Amino acid sequence: MSLSKDLTDQFKERMQQNHDDMDINFSIMVLGTNFWPLNAPSNDFIVPTDIQPTYDRFQKYYQQKHSGRKLTWLWNYSKNELRTNYTNQKYILMTSSYQMAVLLQYNKHDTLSIDELLQATAIPKDLLIQVLGLLTKAKVLISDDEEQYDLNPGSCYTITNCL
């Protein structure tokens, strides 16, 4: 674990030296598969464009530091902190990466259908339905479908401004 902290600190230091300002506070835990038998998700999760530059920078940094090693991202184990800017009241949301990927889509749209969210995130539909269920239960999103858990491809979700 201390090696992961050192790696994160070195990465941040390199970004500062290169004047590569990161507007994202980033930390990572690199775990060896020999010691941590965690399985990567089988889906092709699409990294949100908001975090893509940081993702690419770390990938490049890691490959330069440890050439020949494969870096596998375990999005299903990560957590994120999102700060809202769309209401008068500011909120900090603790989310999973999948919740983050859904919520970041609302930076450009007020309403999105399930099909649009599936296409933008590549989160498996059954998992996406769980994510949307949690976000509607927390009143972050509002569904236009009366029966929220029996979603059809045309169901739409709107970001709420009354958290």
Side-chain angles (χ1 to χ4, degrees), residues 139-155:
K139 296 184 173 37
V140 176
L141 297 177
I142 300 169
S143 173
D144 71 346
D145 201 339
E146 289 182 25
E147 187 57 50
Q148 296 177 17
Y149 299 101
D150 187 27
L151 304 173
N152 61 57
S155 295

Side-chain angles (χ1 to χ4, degrees), residues 51-66:
I51 65 167
Q52 186 72 46
T54 305
Y55 171 86
D56 291 340
R57 287 179 192 131
F58 187 79
Q59 287 273 112
K60 183 178 177 183
Y61 174 77
Y62 187 82
Q63 290 307 316
Q64 288 173 345
K65 192 163 181 66
H66 302 287

